[in-house]
Structure formats: structure tokens, C-alpha cells
Amino acid sequence: MSGLRQFDVIVVGAGFAGLYMLHKLREAGFQAHVVEAGSGVGGTWYWNRYPGARCDVPSIEYSYSFSSELENEWRWSERYAAQPEILTYLEYVADRFDLKKDITFDTKVTAAVWDDAMKLWRVDTDQGNGYLSQHLILATGALSAPKTPELPGIENFKGAILHTAKWDARVDIEGKAVALFGTGSSGIQVTPPLAQKASQLTVFQRTPNFAVPANNRPLNEDEWRQSRATLPARREAARQGFLGFFDVPRAGAAKDDTPDKREQRFNEQWNAGTAGLLLAYEDLLVDEESNAHAAEFARRKIAETIDDPDKVRKITPQGYPLGSRRMCSEIGFYETINRTNVALVDVREEPVTGFSAYGIRTTDHHYSAEVVVFATGFDACVGAIKAIDIRGLEGKSLREEWADGPHAYLGLAVPAFPNLFTITGPGSPSVLSNVVVSIEQHVEWIARCLTDMRASGKATIEATEEAERDWMDHVHEIAQQTLFPRADSWYHGRTRDGRKVFMPYVGGCGPYRATCDEIAAADYRGFNLG
Ligand code: N01
């Protein structure tokens, strides 16, 4: 195997997860190397450069907590940081901890094969260079493999085609007729800037989402100073809390309050950010009746912002509980939909039938378009992992193992794939939490595991099938106690025969952390160490 560089650990991806993983492994004395497809660090924040891209978790919470020096050096400018600022932050982190010298950029990992005789992973890339490593850590991100729908006749289209997650800023939108597909978090953010530049924007919507006002603002000095004083305690509360956020749900059940009190509380929470309304009562994600009150309130608020009754009808979310699909936050989205140069097409009542050279045909109309923008999301939780041809014991393929729905012990490890770890993998809180909190927890657990293995002279670690089965049963049971399974959403994977598999763990960040720690303390119960 000459020509292959050998490391203790190869980490795939240089976003929030990969950067901290590299730092932590180095600190623990491992020879680690990161392979990254992009030309720079940042992961999702490197690729998602569409106009309006912004984090909808408050900046102070959506940042690393592992270094108090870093916390003191960095000053966020807004309550919700825009993509350029987050990317600058991650570049700053990479420089501050001198991480780039151990990252190979512009290189995509294409395959990884476990060599059971050597107890090593052989990692191949699209650049022809490869690696050998004892451990392989996938820091590939849960929302990083963009999805584009297969639309009839799209090959006839002669204009430019963009995806929000692979934005090409060279495409000029000024004065053009633009078609946008998708009204999830990305579509809702990109709509206002598109409408400002385009001569005409046509939004093709399939499922309307609930969006609440982002209520973004500059972080003033007072607010910043106060946040410093309370930061350590609030960080700890987030680690031990349910969703990894500073704010927690308010006590009580919505259905038990009087209509006046409920209205008052919903109004208080309406401007409290992305999860604000969901935090109005502690039962909103588990009780249908309470949730229906919150959903009705949100529908009324949305209707107040739009004049055209037809647009209101189309854009009002119906048929699923509030919060069972990812809540979106908006800065001028509904106002923009209200504009006369913005058309809203419901593709369920008016399906797309084809494309012309510069337009889109539906069953009812032809809409002009010189640019098509897809804000159609990601192959969530698994797409970036399945894009790599990963072969474990006896040549088992991870893609095939997951063809019937993804499964992993603690969302961290899969039987028959020794020494392979997935950061924020399926079966962990991941996308249903403040993901930076979840990333830090996984990184620290993996570093501890590798350090313990080294201390006890163990070369391999592999999750057992029984532990994984029990864990995934638990993930499923907990999800069934909530309203999440009541919606079609990207939180679900699919089995071969089309059944839904709920992917994130909704038992809470704090309890999940305690379980992981307890398993480590019990000599890594559920894992075979060899
Ligand atoms: O993707 P999505 P996203 N015709 O999957 C629609 C995070 N994020 O990139 O719902 C028309 O949510 C699809 O319709 P449907 C955040 O966690 C965070 O927006 O499948 N439409 C849906 O409306 C978020 O949840 C931030 O029926 C079609 C949209 O495309 C996650 O990333 C910003 C269609 C896809 O929405 C993903 O968000 C951005 C078709 N043929 C993202 N096919 C912030 O922090 C699909 N759609 C703010």
C-alpha cells in the first residue's frame, strides 16, 4: 500500500464538526487529518451562499463553547448571523487553532474499505490520493447532500439553473424572470432578495411551512455584555436541556388555559425567534389539542400579512401539527409573497408538466423563467454518508445496510463497520437540536472513546447488532410519543417498501448525553472492543 499516507484518524469534512474533531484529536495526541471537498473550511456554511442565507438559531448559541478564549475573542454583530459572518467565524477558528495545515481541500472522499487483517480503513478520494487510518470519522453534515427534483422536460430549459446549497453568485438575476422551487428554510430566506432583483418571481410551492418572524437585530453593547455574564450557565443549561437551546418551554398546557390567556402567551412568544412559538407551552409537541391552538394562532398571523385571498389560501399550512416539520423563520417572506411581481403556484393543484426554453408549463399556465432556483433541500441525515462507498466487515456496504432506513447505535456507530463514527448521525439528536451543541457532545465522546481505547490497548471498536436494535427501537418509541410522526418531513427516512423511519432522537440532548456518558463509563456497553 505504498503512496498512501497513514494517520490514526481520518476525518471527512471541515465544517463545525470536522474542525472541532481535528482540534480535539490533536489535543489528545492523535495524528489526525481532515479531507474536505470544498476549497475552504465551513461545510454547510461554505456551500450555502445564497442571498439571504442566515442562521435561524441565535448566534451566541450557535457557536463553539469549548474554548472560553475563543468565546471572548469573537463578537457576533447580529442576533442571527448571516452566512458570510458564520463563514468568517469558522475561518477564524481554523486559523486560531492552526487547523488548516492538517486539512486537504478540494478533495472528495469517494470510498472507504475496512481491511480486517490490518485493522485499518483505506480511504480513497476523487483526486487519486488515498489514506490509511485506524479510525474513520464522518463529519459530513446532516444537511449537505443537495436534492434536485426530477421535473418533466427540464432538459429543454435554456436559462440558468441554481441550487441554494451550491449557489453560483456569477449568475445575474437583476431584471430577470426567476422561478423558485421550494419553500423550506432556504426558500423562505431566498425569496425576498430574489424578488427585489428579479422582474418577476414565480414561487412553486408544494407544502406550505409555518414561518415566524425572525425578529433579527444588531446585538448592542448592553445585550452583548449581559450575554457574557450569563454565558457559562446558559451553555450548561443548553447541554443538559431538551433541544440544546438557551430558552426552554414555558410551563403549562395550552389546552388548559383560557382563550384570552392563551392568546396573550402566543402573542408574547410570536416574536421570540424560530422556536419561540413552540416554547409557549411545554406540551405543544406532544398534545394534539394544544398544538391545534398554536397552529390556528400562527395561521391567523400569516393571513394578516397577505392581501390576496388566493395567496393566503395557498400559503396557509394545513393538515399537520405546528413544529412537526422544521419551523422556519422569515424576514419579509410573507410581505414579499404579497408583492405584485411575485406569483405563488401550488404544484399540488397545478402540477408542472414541462419546461420550454425560457419557461415552465403547468396544467394551467406557462410561466416565464430565465433563471430557475431550486431550494429543494437535502438528502437529510444520510445523503453525504451514502455518497461514499463504505465497505465494512466482509465487504458489507453501508449504503445497502441503510437501504431499508438508516440505523446506528446512538447515531454514532454501525455494526460491521468497526472504528467508524458518524458525527450527528441518524438516531442522535442532531437536526432536532441546536446542532453545534450536539456536535460538541459527539466530538468529545469520540475523543474520549479513542483515548480510552489507546489506554487499554484496544485496536477496534464495533457496535453490536443487539445494542443497535434496542437503540433504534427506543428512537422509534420516543418519536411515537410526540407529534413528529404526524407530518411528512425530511426528518423521516424511507424503507425499501416506502415506510417512514424517523431519524433524529427526540429524547432530549441532556438525557442523550447522560446515556452516552453512562455507556462509556460501563466499558462501552453495546460495543465490542478488540
Ligand atoms: O430544504 P427543505 P431547505 N416542487 O427540505 C420543496 C436547515 N436550514 O434547504 O415540503 C416544488 O426544508 C419541498 O416541498 P415538500 C433547516 O434545518 C437552516 O429549505 O417536500 N417544491 C420543500 O418546500 C432546514 O429545515 C437554515 O413538499 C418542491 C423544499 O423544496 C433544512 O436545512 C437555512 C419539489 C425543500 O425544503 C433544509 O432546508 C436553510 C418540487 N418538485 C436550511 N421538491 C437556517 O438556519 C421539493 N420541494 C435558517
Side-chain angles (χ1 to χ4, degrees):
M1 304 232 180
S2 62
L4 299 177
R5 292 171 71 193
Q6 187 163 346
F7 294 94
D8 297 328
V9 189
I10 287 289
V11 179
V12 188
F16 264 99
L19 291 178
Y20 182 35
M21 192 74 249
L22 174 60
H23 174 65
K24 197 76 193 160
L25 288 167
R26 264 203 211 153
E27 252 185 4
F30 292 98
Q31 296 289 321
H33 194 78
V34 176
V35 186
E36 164 60 52
S39 303
V41 301
T44 200
W45 298 105
Y46 175 87
W47 298 106
N48 284 264
R49 294 167 185 244
Y50 59 88
R54 180 181 293 282
C55 187
D56 61 4
V57 176
S59 323
I60 296 172
E61 302 180 49
Y62 192 87
S63 54
Y64 291 118
S65 72
F66 69 84
S67 161
S68 51
E69 291 85 6
L70 173 64
E71 280 181 326
N72 290 331
E73 289 160 17
W74 188 264
R75 164 73 158 93
W76 293 105
S77 67
E78 291 178 276
R79 183 175 181 217
Y80 296 107
Q83 175 270 339
E85 190 173 9
I86 303 174
L87 188 57
T88 307
Y89 169 73
L90 289 170
E91 279 163 358
Y92 177 80
V93 171
D95 290 337
R96 192 195 184 286
F97 296 101
D98 198 15
L99 300 175
K100 285 184 187 160
K101 67 177 186 218
D102 288 325
I103 304 175
T104 296
F105 292 105
D106 296 308
T107 304
K108 211 178 240 180
V109 169
T110 50
V113 181
W114 174 251
D115 184 324
D116 201 43
M118 293 185 24
K119 308 290 178 213
L120 289 175
W121 282 99
R122 184 201 154 114
V123 178
D124 295 328
T125 73
D126 65 347
Q127 298 300 309
N129 54 332
Y131 304 89
L132 291 174
S133 68
Q134 187 186 353
H135 298 279
L136 178 62
I137 300 178
L138 303 177
T140 39
L143 298 163
S144 49
K147 253 188 348 194
T148 304
E150 283 173 22
L151 293 169
I154 192 158
E155 64 281 0
N156 301 325
F157 186 65
K158 299 246 184 314
I161 298 181
L162 293 168
H163 194 294
T164 44
K166 286 188 288 187
W167 195 256
D168 183 349
R170 291 168 304 182
V171 175
D172 187 16
I173 281 162
E174 195 74 51
K176 300 251 167 77
V178 177
L180 168 69
F181 285 83
T183 50
S185 302
S186 306
I188 283 174
Q189 287 187 334
V190 80
T191 294
L194 286 182
Q196 273 158 27
K197 286 200 160 178
S199 56
Q200 167 71 33
L201 174 68
T202 309
V203 178
F204 291 84
Q205 173 195 261
R206 190 161 66 185
T207 312
N209 280 303
F210 287 101
V212 299
N215 198 15
N216 187 37
R217 57 174 184 272
L219 280 172
N220 65 36
E221 270 316 304
D222 278 354
E223 199 172 352
W224 184 252
R225 230 186 349 268
Q226 274 174 24
S227 79
R228 301 298 87 189
T230 55
L231 194 57
R234 301 199 84 185
R235 290 277 205 201
E236 189 48 27
R239 284 185 202 108
Q240 303 307 334
F242 188 66
L243 290 173
F245 296 116
F246 288 2
D247 293 333
V248 295
R250 295 171 66 174
K255 63 184 178 189
D256 294 342
D257 251 348
T258 62
D260 284 353
K261 279 197 175 153
R262 224 173 17 231
E263 186 76 4
Q264 187 188 337
R265 194 178 293 187
F266 286 150
N267 266 313
E268 285 161 8
Q269 293 294 128
W270 178 248
N271 282 306
T274 318
L277 186 60
L278 279 178
L279 299 177
Y281 292 91
E282 62 196 351
D283 68 338
L284 291 183
L285 284 171
V286 292
D287 189 280
E288 235 177 303
E289 189 183 337
S290 286
N291 187 289
H293 288 299
E296 195 40 47
F297 175 86
R299 287 190 199 105
R300 269 191 281 125
K301 285 287 195 188
I302 292 168
E304 280 169 16
T305 55
I306 301 177
D307 302 325
D308 176 351
D310 193 49
K311 284 183 174 173
V312 172
R313 179 183 65 76
K314 286 178 182 162
I315 209 151
T316 303
Q318 304 280 0
Y320 64 89
L322 178 101
S324 59
R325 291 162 58 88
R326 171 70 152 70
M327 291 296 290
C328 301
S329 68
E330 55 101 18
I331 301 177
F333 171 68
Y334 292 117
E335 269 173 43
T336 303
I337 293 293
N338 203 27
R339 284 168 67 143
T340 47
N341 74 331
V342 178
L344 183 62
V345 177
D346 177 341
V347 298
R348 290 190 202 275
E349 59 184 37
E350 197 185 322
V352 172
T353 54
F355 281 72
S356 62
Y358 291 103
I360 296 160
R361 250 179 251 111
T362 67
T363 44
D364 297 6
H365 291 101
H366 177 266
Y367 297 92
S368 295
E370 294 158 281
V371 180
V372 167
V373 175
F374 286 116
T376 42
F378 303 90
D379 187 359
C381 301
V382 294
I385 298 176
K386 283 165 105 176
I388 306 171
D389 186 7
I390 300 175
R391 305 278 167 164
L393 289 172
E394 294 162 11
K396 267 193 184 171
S397 152
L398 187 56
R399 253 180 224 160
E400 280 163 30
E401 285 294 300
W402 281 4
D404 231 4
H407 47 85
Y409 183 35
L410 301 172
L412 270 167
V414 185
F417 295 85
N419 295 9
L420 177 81
F421 297 94
T422 51
I423 299 182
T424 62
S428 72
S430 172
V431 289
L432 262 176
S433 66
N434 176 353
V435 79
V436 181
V437 171
S438 290
I439 283 170
E440 288 196 325
Q441 185 257 332
H442 265 188
V443 165
E444 287 158 17
W445 191 92
I446 294 167
R448 171 185 175 181
C449 173
L450 267 49
T451 306
D452 288 347
M453 284 176 68
R454 186 177 54 192
S456 58
K458 303 291 187 193
T460 60
I461 182 164
E462 183 197 345
T464 68
E465 284 187 11
E466 188 189 5
E468 187 200 60
R469 198 169 43 244
D470 289 351
W471 179 254
M472 291 313 289
D473 286 349
H474 176 57
V475 170
H476 175 77
E477 272 162 29
I478 295 251
Q480 298 313 308
Q481 293 164 23
T482 70
L483 299 178
F484 287 107
R486 295 277 317 282
D488 273 330
S489 74
W490 58 257
Y491 293 143
H492 294 92
R494 294 273 169 187
T495 60
R496 281 192 183 88
D497 56 9
R499 274 177 298 115
K500 293 197 289 188
V501 178
F502 196 74
M503 295 188 285
Y505 178 62
V506 285
C509 289
Y512 173 80
R513 176 183 298 267
T515 301
C516 291
D517 288 348
E518 190 250 319
I519 284 168
D523 293 329
Y524 296 92
R525 196 179 58 242
F527 290 94
N528 283 328
L529 287 126

